Amino acid sequence: MAASDDHDLKALLQVRVSYEDGALVDALNRRAAVSAAAPSFFEGFALHGIRVESIRPGHILCSFTVPARLTSGSDHIAPGAVVALVDEIGSAASVSDGHHLKVSVDMSVNFVDLDAAAPGDALRITARALGHKGAYSGTHVIVANAATGQVVAEGRHSLFGKMKIRSNI
């Protein structure tokens, strides 16, 4: 390191933050913490209405009534909405037995019969953890029409990571 670089580093380390500036930063941190607890646009739009019916280690059962907002102008649920359900509910199954939160690394969704999920139809979504190996987890999710039993979609979901936060499910 050159002498001038050393001098610049020492000057930078001696910078002081005023009380007022520190208070502004603290206020931003508090606001960010509050907004993190509020649902995001995505959660409010795509996931609003999911009801957890039962949960046990490695398994979660949910119900969801297909809202018109998730049909993309068709007479059935949009494929992207089904993927969102597989992602979120599969993730919940992977942490339902106390494992660390993870991020999705791979997902495969087979759209068996989207017509079986029209606006107003009740869906039954069953997810189970297939297993855990180190920081890797796998889940299997079935989305079916609750009244007819017709499978709408089947998904396999791979997750990886070891976030320091544990689920509160």
Side-chain angles (χ1 to χ4, degrees), residues 25-167:
V25 170
D26 288 344
L28 286 173
N29 287 337
R30 280 192 299 277
R31 252 185 282 152
V34 169
S35 67
S40 68
F41 170 78
F42 172 74
E43 291 167 328
F45 183 79
L47 304 175
H48 179 72
I50 294 174
R51 179 181 166 94
V52 176
E53 301 294 339
S54 71
I55 188 167
R56 61 183 193 271
H59 187 270
I60 187 167
L61 171 64
C62 297
S63 62
F64 182 72
T65 300
V66 178
R69 71 178 182 276
L70 298 182
T71 60
S72 69
S74 64
D75 58 351
H76 57 75
I77 192 167
V82 174
V83 171
L85 292 171
V86 169
D87 185 23
E88 292 298 320
I89 298 172
S91 295
S94 79
V95 298
S96 65
D97 52 5
H99 281 80
H100 289 282
L101 292 173
K102 297 170 172 53
V103 295
S104 300
V105 292
D106 184 50
M107 198 170 0
S108 172
V109 180
N110 179 16
F111 303 107
V112 179
D113 186 4
L114 290 176
D115 289 329
D121 284 351
L123 301 180
R124 177 183 174 99
I125 306 150
T126 306
R128 66 184 176 93
L130 297 174
H132 307 281
K133 178 87 172 167
Y136 176 83
S137 295
T139 66
H140 181 244
V141 181
I142 297 285
V143 179
N145 184 300
T148 66
Q150 176 63 37
V151 174
V152 175
E154 177 181 13
R156 294 200 180 262
H157 188 202
S158 302
L159 304 105
F160 184 82
K162 203 168 194 174
M163 295 181 192
K164 300 282 185 211
I165 303 167
R166 286 201 182 263
S167 167

